[in-house]
Amino acid sequence: MGRDAIADIITSIRNADMNKNGTVRIASTNITENIVKILLQEGFIENVRKHQESNKNFLVSTLRHRRTKKGIYKTVLKRISRPGLRIYSNYKKIPKILGGMGIVILSTSRGIMTDREARLEKMGGEILCYIW
């Protein structure tokens, strides 16, 4: 049985965020690179660099910790579609997270994109995860 790369990314980022760890090391695949690129564009990650160790490629990401009056604001990542239960949506029914404050990451026929990009291009697809 294969591993769920998207769940691995989400769990790694969530664990590093809870431990207030600044960096996360993620195995590099096409899917993980696209998701990390979206997180970088949306401001959840500060920077990303590629690292090679014994013929395996990794992405080393620095998390962005946002401060509020009560302390550090935690990033919430939630996996929606999983290998045992795929969740699909057309562009009209893509959910808005926190009234548009959060993002939905979708896998479409044109690649992995955010909910805003999918609505602009009128593309539906598999809902991978929610982030807010």
Side-chain angles (χ1 to χ4, degrees), residues 21-66:
N21 193 356
T23 60
V24 178
R25 192 174 101 169
I26 302 166
S28 179
T29 62
N30 288 336
I31 294 172
T32 57
E33 286 182 15
N34 289 332
I35 291 175
V36 167
K37 187 168 75 171
I38 288 173
L39 293 175
L40 183 65
Q41 290 171 352
E42 295 292 327
F44 292 102
I45 292 177
E46 285 185 14
N47 63 11
V48 179
R49 63 183 166 86
K50 286 191 175 186
H51 178 71
Q52 186 172 3
E53 187 175 300
S54 67
N55 295 332
K56 292 185 180 180
N57 293 324
F58 295 98
L59 297 172
V60 179
S61 306
T62 305
L63 298 179
R64 175 171 289 164
H65 295 288
R66 295 171 287 194

Short mmCIF file of all heavy atoms in Angstrom, two decimals, residues 21-66:
data_model
loop_
_atom_site.label_atom_id
_atom_site.label_comp_id
_atom_site.label_asym_id
_atom_site.label_seq_id
_atom_site.Cartn_x
_atom_site.Cartn_y
_atom_site.Cartn_z
N ASN A 21 8.56 24.82 15.92
CA ASN A 21 9.78 24.54 15.18
C ASN A 21 9.75 25.38 13.91
O ASN A 21 8.73 25.49 13.26
CB ASN A 21 9.85 23.05 14.85
CG ASN A 21 11.21 22.64 14.36
OD1 ASN A 21 12.09 23.48 14.18
ND2 ASN A 21 11.39 21.36 14.14
N GLY A 22 10.87 25.96 13.54
CA GLY A 22 10.89 26.86 12.41
C GLY A 22 10.96 26.21 11.06
O GLY A 22 10.51 26.77 10.07
N THR A 23 11.52 24.99 10.98
CA THR A 23 11.72 24.37 9.68
C THR A 23 11.05 23.00 9.61
O THR A 23 10.89 22.32 10.62
CB THR A 23 13.22 24.19 9.37
OG1 THR A 23 13.80 23.36 10.37
CG2 THR A 23 13.93 25.53 9.32
N VAL A 24 10.69 22.63 8.38
CA VAL A 24 10.06 21.34 8.11
C VAL A 24 10.80 20.72 6.93
O VAL A 24 11.08 21.40 5.94
CB VAL A 24 8.57 21.51 7.75
CG1 VAL A 24 7.95 20.18 7.41
CG2 VAL A 24 7.82 22.18 8.85
N ARG A 25 11.09 19.42 7.02
CA ARG A 25 11.72 18.70 5.91
C ARG A 25 10.70 17.76 5.32
O ARG A 25 10.15 16.90 6.01
CB ARG A 25 12.93 17.93 6.42
CG ARG A 25 13.80 17.42 5.32
CD ARG A 25 15.02 16.82 5.89
NE ARG A 25 14.83 15.36 5.87
CZ ARG A 25 15.77 14.49 6.10
NH1 ARG A 25 16.97 14.90 6.43
NH2 ARG A 25 15.52 13.21 6.05
N ILE A 26 10.42 17.93 4.02
CA ILE A 26 9.39 17.17 3.32
C ILE A 26 10.02 16.47 2.13
O ILE A 26 10.84 17.06 1.42
CB ILE A 26 8.27 18.13 2.84
CG1 ILE A 26 7.66 18.89 4.00
CG2 ILE A 26 7.20 17.37 2.08
CD1 ILE A 26 6.81 20.06 3.57
N ALA A 27 9.62 15.23 1.89
CA ALA A 27 10.10 14.50 0.71
C ALA A 27 9.62 15.21 -0.56
O ALA A 27 8.48 15.65 -0.65
CB ALA A 27 9.60 13.07 0.74
N SER A 28 10.49 15.32 -1.53
CA SER A 28 10.20 16.10 -2.73
C SER A 28 9.59 15.22 -3.82
O SER A 28 10.23 14.28 -4.29
CB SER A 28 11.48 16.75 -3.24
OG SER A 28 11.22 17.48 -4.42
N THR A 29 8.34 15.52 -4.19
CA THR A 29 7.68 14.92 -5.34
C THR A 29 6.99 16.06 -6.09
O THR A 29 6.99 17.20 -5.63
CB THR A 29 6.62 13.87 -4.93
OG1 THR A 29 5.61 14.51 -4.16
CG2 THR A 29 7.24 12.74 -4.11
N ASN A 30 6.40 15.76 -7.24
CA ASN A 30 5.72 16.81 -7.99
C ASN A 30 4.55 17.39 -7.19
O ASN A 30 4.34 18.61 -7.18
CB ASN A 30 5.21 16.27 -9.32
CG ASN A 30 6.33 16.01 -10.30
OD1 ASN A 30 7.38 16.62 -10.21
ND2 ASN A 30 6.10 15.11 -11.24
N ILE A 31 3.78 16.53 -6.53
CA ILE A 31 2.63 17.00 -5.76
C ILE A 31 3.08 17.86 -4.59
O ILE A 31 2.53 18.94 -4.35
CB ILE A 31 1.79 15.80 -5.28
CG1 ILE A 31 1.16 15.08 -6.46
CG2 ILE A 31 0.72 16.23 -4.30
CD1 ILE A 31 0.49 13.78 -6.10
N THR A 32 4.09 17.40 -3.86
CA THR A 32 4.53 18.16 -2.69
C THR A 32 5.14 19.50 -3.10
O THR A 32 4.93 20.51 -2.43
CB THR A 32 5.54 17.35 -1.85
OG1 THR A 32 6.65 16.99 -2.67
CG2 THR A 32 4.90 16.13 -1.26
N GLU A 33 5.86 19.52 -4.21
CA GLU A 33 6.43 20.79 -4.68
C GLU A 33 5.34 21.78 -5.04
O GLU A 33 5.44 22.97 -4.72
CB GLU A 33 7.35 20.55 -5.87
CG GLU A 33 8.67 19.93 -5.50
CD GLU A 33 9.59 19.74 -6.68
OE1 GLU A 33 9.34 20.34 -7.74
OE2 GLU A 33 10.57 18.99 -6.54
N ASN A 34 4.28 21.32 -5.70
CA ASN A 34 3.19 22.22 -6.06
C ASN A 34 2.44 22.73 -4.83
O ASN A 34 2.07 23.91 -4.76
CB ASN A 34 2.21 21.52 -7.01
CG ASN A 34 2.80 21.30 -8.38
OD1 ASN A 34 3.66 22.06 -8.82
ND2 ASN A 34 2.37 20.26 -9.05
N ILE A 35 2.21 21.88 -3.86
CA ILE A 35 1.50 22.30 -2.65
C ILE A 35 2.35 23.29 -1.86
O ILE A 35 1.85 24.32 -1.38
CB ILE A 35 1.10 21.09 -1.80
CG1 ILE A 35 0.01 20.31 -2.53
CG2 ILE A 35 0.61 21.52 -0.42
CD1 ILE A 35 -0.40 19.02 -1.87
N VAL A 36 3.64 23.03 -1.73
CA VAL A 36 4.53 23.94 -1.01
C VAL A 36 4.62 25.28 -1.74
O VAL A 36 4.67 26.34 -1.11
CB VAL A 36 5.92 23.29 -0.81
CG1 VAL A 36 6.94 24.30 -0.35
CG2 VAL A 36 5.82 22.15 0.19
N LYS A 37 4.59 25.25 -3.07
CA LYS A 37 4.62 26.50 -3.84
C LYS A 37 3.37 27.33 -3.56
O LYS A 37 3.44 28.55 -3.40
CB LYS A 37 4.74 26.18 -5.33
CG LYS A 37 4.94 27.41 -6.20
CD LYS A 37 5.33 27.04 -7.61
CE LYS A 37 4.15 26.52 -8.36
NZ LYS A 37 4.42 26.35 -9.81
N ILE A 38 2.21 26.67 -3.45
CA ILE A 38 0.97 27.38 -3.12
C ILE A 38 1.04 27.96 -1.71
O ILE A 38 0.66 29.11 -1.48
CB ILE A 38 -0.25 26.45 -3.28
CG1 ILE A 38 -0.51 26.19 -4.76
CG2 ILE A 38 -1.49 27.04 -2.62
CD1 ILE A 38 -1.58 25.16 -5.02
N LEU A 39 1.55 27.18 -0.76
CA LEU A 39 1.68 27.68 0.61
C LEU A 39 2.64 28.86 0.68
O LEU A 39 2.43 29.79 1.47
CB LEU A 39 2.16 26.55 1.53
CG LEU A 39 1.20 25.41 1.77
CD1 LEU A 39 1.85 24.32 2.59
CD2 LEU A 39 -0.07 25.90 2.44
N LEU A 40 3.67 28.85 -0.14
CA LEU A 40 4.60 29.97 -0.20
C LEU A 40 3.94 31.21 -0.78
O LEU A 40 4.08 32.31 -0.25
CB LEU A 40 5.83 29.57 -1.03
CG LEU A 40 6.95 30.60 -1.14
CD1 LEU A 40 7.58 30.85 0.22
CD2 LEU A 40 8.00 30.10 -2.12
N GLN A 41 3.17 31.05 -1.85
CA GLN A 41 2.47 32.18 -2.47
C GLN A 41 1.42 32.78 -1.53
O GLN A 41 1.22 33.99 -1.52
CB GLN A 41 1.78 31.74 -3.76
CG GLN A 41 2.72 31.44 -4.89
CD GLN A 41 2.00 30.81 -6.07
OE1 GLN A 41 0.83 30.47 -6.01
NE2 GLN A 41 2.73 30.66 -7.17
N GLU A 42 0.75 31.93 -0.76
CA GLU A 42 -0.31 32.40 0.13
C GLU A 42 0.21 32.93 1.46
O GLU A 42 -0.55 33.45 2.26
CB GLU A 42 -1.32 31.27 0.38
CG GLU A 42 -2.08 30.85 -0.84
CD GLU A 42 -3.03 31.91 -1.36
OE1 GLU A 42 -3.59 32.66 -0.54
OE2 GLU A 42 -3.22 31.97 -2.58
N GLY A 43 1.49 32.78 1.73
CA GLY A 43 2.09 33.35 2.92
C GLY A 43 2.10 32.47 4.15
O GLY A 43 2.38 32.95 5.25
N PHE A 44 1.86 31.18 4.01
CA PHE A 44 1.91 30.28 5.15
C PHE A 44 3.34 29.80 5.41
O PHE A 44 3.66 29.34 6.50
CB PHE A 44 1.00 29.07 4.94
CG PHE A 44 -0.45 29.43 4.95
CD1 PHE A 44 -1.16 29.54 3.77
CD2 PHE A 44 -1.10 29.68 6.14
CE1 PHE A 44 -2.50 29.88 3.78
CE2 PHE A 44 -2.44 30.02 6.16
CZ PHE A 44 -3.14 30.12 4.97
N ILE A 45 4.20 29.90 4.38
CA ILE A 45 5.61 29.49 4.49
C ILE A 45 6.46 30.68 4.05
O ILE A 45 6.13 31.38 3.10
CB ILE A 45 5.88 28.27 3.58
CG1 ILE A 45 5.15 27.05 4.12
CG2 ILE A 45 7.36 28.00 3.47
CD1 ILE A 45 5.30 25.82 3.25
N GLU A 46 7.57 30.91 4.77
CA GLU A 46 8.44 32.04 4.44
C GLU A 46 9.34 31.75 3.24
O GLU A 46 9.42 32.55 2.32
CB GLU A 46 9.29 32.41 5.64
CG GLU A 46 8.53 33.16 6.70
CD GLU A 46 9.42 33.62 7.82
OE1 GLU A 46 10.67 33.60 7.67
OE2 GLU A 46 8.88 34.00 8.86
N ASN A 47 10.05 30.62 3.27
CA ASN A 47 10.90 30.27 2.13
C ASN A 47 11.07 28.77 2.04
O ASN A 47 10.79 28.03 2.98
CB ASN A 47 12.26 30.98 2.20
CG ASN A 47 13.06 30.56 3.41
OD1 ASN A 47 12.72 29.61 4.10
ND2 ASN A 47 14.14 31.26 3.67
N VAL A 48 11.53 28.33 0.87
CA VAL A 48 11.71 26.91 0.57
C VAL A 48 13.03 26.74 -0.15
O VAL A 48 13.40 27.56 -1.00
CB VAL A 48 10.57 26.39 -0.34
CG1 VAL A 48 10.76 24.93 -0.66
CG2 VAL A 48 9.23 26.60 0.30
N ARG A 49 13.73 25.67 0.20
CA ARG A 49 14.96 25.34 -0.54
C ARG A 49 15.02 23.83 -0.72
O ARG A 49 14.48 23.07 0.09
CB ARG A 49 16.20 25.86 0.15
CG ARG A 49 16.46 25.30 1.50
CD ARG A 49 17.70 25.95 2.13
NE ARG A 49 17.76 25.66 3.53
CZ ARG A 49 18.30 24.57 4.06
NH1 ARG A 49 18.82 23.66 3.27
NH2 ARG A 49 18.32 24.37 5.35
N LYS A 50 15.66 23.42 -1.80
CA LYS A 50 15.82 21.99 -2.07
C LYS A 50 17.09 21.49 -1.41
O LYS A 50 18.10 22.19 -1.37
CB LYS A 50 15.87 21.73 -3.57
CG LYS A 50 14.55 21.86 -4.25
CD LYS A 50 14.63 21.33 -5.65
CE LYS A 50 13.24 21.38 -6.28
NZ LYS A 50 13.22 20.75 -7.58
N HIS A 51 17.01 20.27 -0.90
CA HIS A 51 18.14 19.66 -0.22
C HIS A 51 18.24 18.21 -0.68
O HIS A 51 17.23 17.52 -0.77
CB HIS A 51 17.92 19.72 1.30
CG HIS A 51 18.99 19.09 2.10
ND1 HIS A 51 20.24 19.62 2.22
CD2 HIS A 51 18.99 17.95 2.85
CE1 HIS A 51 20.97 18.84 2.99
NE2 HIS A 51 20.23 17.81 3.38
N GLN A 52 19.46 17.77 -1.00
CA GLN A 52 19.66 16.40 -1.43
C GLN A 52 20.51 15.67 -0.40
O GLN A 52 21.54 16.17 0.03
CB GLN A 52 20.33 16.34 -2.80
CG GLN A 52 20.41 14.95 -3.34
CD GLN A 52 20.91 14.94 -4.77
OE1 GLN A 52 21.25 15.96 -5.33
NE2 GLN A 52 20.97 13.76 -5.37
N GLU A 53 20.04 14.47 -0.04
CA GLU A 53 20.75 13.67 0.95
C GLU A 53 20.68 12.21 0.53
O GLU A 53 19.58 11.66 0.41
CB GLU A 53 20.08 13.87 2.32
CG GLU A 53 20.80 13.23 3.47
CD GLU A 53 20.12 13.59 4.77
OE1 GLU A 53 20.04 14.78 5.10
OE2 GLU A 53 19.65 12.65 5.42
N SER A 54 21.80 11.62 0.26
CA SER A 54 21.92 10.22 -0.18
C SER A 54 20.94 9.88 -1.30
O SER A 54 20.11 8.99 -1.17
CB SER A 54 21.75 9.27 1.01
OG SER A 54 20.44 9.33 1.51
N ASN A 55 21.01 10.62 -2.39
CA ASN A 55 20.19 10.41 -3.60
C ASN A 55 18.70 10.59 -3.37
O ASN A 55 17.89 10.09 -4.15
CB ASN A 55 20.47 9.05 -4.23
CG ASN A 55 21.89 8.95 -4.74
OD1 ASN A 55 22.48 9.96 -5.11
ND2 ASN A 55 22.43 7.75 -4.77
N LYS A 56 18.29 11.24 -2.32
CA LYS A 56 16.88 11.57 -2.09
C LYS A 56 16.76 13.07 -1.97
O LYS A 56 17.56 13.73 -1.31
CB LYS A 56 16.36 10.91 -0.80
CG LYS A 56 16.28 9.41 -0.90
CD LYS A 56 15.65 8.82 0.33
CE LYS A 56 15.59 7.31 0.21
NZ LYS A 56 14.98 6.70 1.39
N ASN A 57 15.75 13.63 -2.64
CA ASN A 57 15.53 15.07 -2.61
C ASN A 57 14.51 15.42 -1.55
O ASN A 57 13.50 14.73 -1.39
CB ASN A 57 15.04 15.56 -3.98
CG ASN A 57 16.12 15.44 -5.03
OD1 ASN A 57 17.29 15.62 -4.75
ND2 ASN A 57 15.72 15.10 -6.23
N PHE A 58 14.76 16.51 -0.84
CA PHE A 58 13.87 17.01 0.19
C PHE A 58 13.63 18.49 -0.03
O PHE A 58 14.45 19.19 -0.62
CB PHE A 58 14.47 16.81 1.58
CG PHE A 58 14.63 15.38 1.97
CD1 PHE A 58 15.85 14.74 1.84
CD2 PHE A 58 13.56 14.67 2.47
CE1 PHE A 58 16.00 13.42 2.20
CE2 PHE A 58 13.69 13.34 2.83
CZ PHE A 58 14.92 12.71 2.70
N LEU A 59 12.49 18.97 0.45
CA LEU A 59 12.19 20.40 0.50
C LEU A 59 12.28 20.82 1.95
O LEU A 59 11.63 20.24 2.81
CB LEU A 59 10.79 20.68 -0.03
CG LEU A 59 10.52 20.33 -1.48
CD1 LEU A 59 9.04 20.50 -1.80
CD2 LEU A 59 11.35 21.20 -2.39
N VAL A 60 13.11 21.81 2.23
CA VAL A 60 13.23 22.34 3.58
C VAL A 60 12.50 23.67 3.59
O VAL A 60 12.89 24.61 2.90
CB VAL A 60 14.71 22.51 3.99
CG1 VAL A 60 14.81 23.09 5.38
CG2 VAL A 60 15.42 21.18 3.90
N SER A 61 11.41 23.75 4.37
CA SER A 61 10.56 24.93 4.40
C SER A 61 10.65 25.61 5.75
O SER A 61 10.71 24.95 6.79
CB SER A 61 9.10 24.54 4.16
OG SER A 61 8.97 23.81 2.98
N THR A 62 10.64 26.93 5.73
CA THR A 62 10.61 27.72 6.95
C THR A 62 9.20 28.22 7.15
O THR A 62 8.65 28.90 6.28
CB THR A 62 11.59 28.91 6.87
OG1 THR A 62 12.88 28.41 6.57
CG2 THR A 62 11.62 29.66 8.18
N LEU A 63 8.60 27.88 8.29
CA LEU A 63 7.22 28.26 8.56
C LEU A 63 7.15 29.71 9.00
O LEU A 63 8.07 30.25 9.61
CB LEU A 63 6.62 27.38 9.65
CG LEU A 63 6.53 25.89 9.35
CD1 LEU A 63 5.95 25.17 10.55
CD2 LEU A 63 5.68 25.65 8.13
N ARG A 64 6.02 30.33 8.72
CA ARG A 64 5.77 31.69 9.16
C ARG A 64 4.84 31.63 10.36
O ARG A 64 3.75 31.09 10.29
CB ARG A 64 5.11 32.51 8.05
CG ARG A 64 4.72 33.91 8.50
CD ARG A 64 4.29 34.75 7.36
NE ARG A 64 5.50 35.03 6.58
CZ ARG A 64 5.50 35.49 5.35
NH1 ARG A 64 4.38 35.68 4.71
NH2 ARG A 64 6.61 35.73 4.72
N HIS A 65 5.30 32.17 11.47
CA HIS A 65 4.48 32.22 12.68
C HIS A 65 3.90 33.62 12.78
O HIS A 65 4.63 34.60 12.83
CB HIS A 65 5.31 31.90 13.91
CG HIS A 65 5.82 30.50 13.92
ND1 HIS A 65 5.01 29.41 14.13
CD2 HIS A 65 7.07 29.99 13.71
CE1 HIS A 65 5.72 28.31 14.09
NE2 HIS A 65 6.98 28.63 13.81
N ARG A 66 2.58 33.68 12.83
CA ARG A 66 1.91 34.97 12.93
C ARG A 66 1.54 35.24 14.37
O ARG A 66 1.03 34.37 15.06
CB ARG A 66 0.67 34.99 12.05
CG ARG A 66 1.05 34.88 10.58
CD ARG A 66 -0.15 34.69 9.75
NE ARG A 66 -0.61 33.31 9.98
CZ ARG A 66 -1.48 32.70 9.23
NH1 ARG A 66 -2.01 33.29 8.23
NH2 ARG A 66 -1.85 31.46 9.50
#
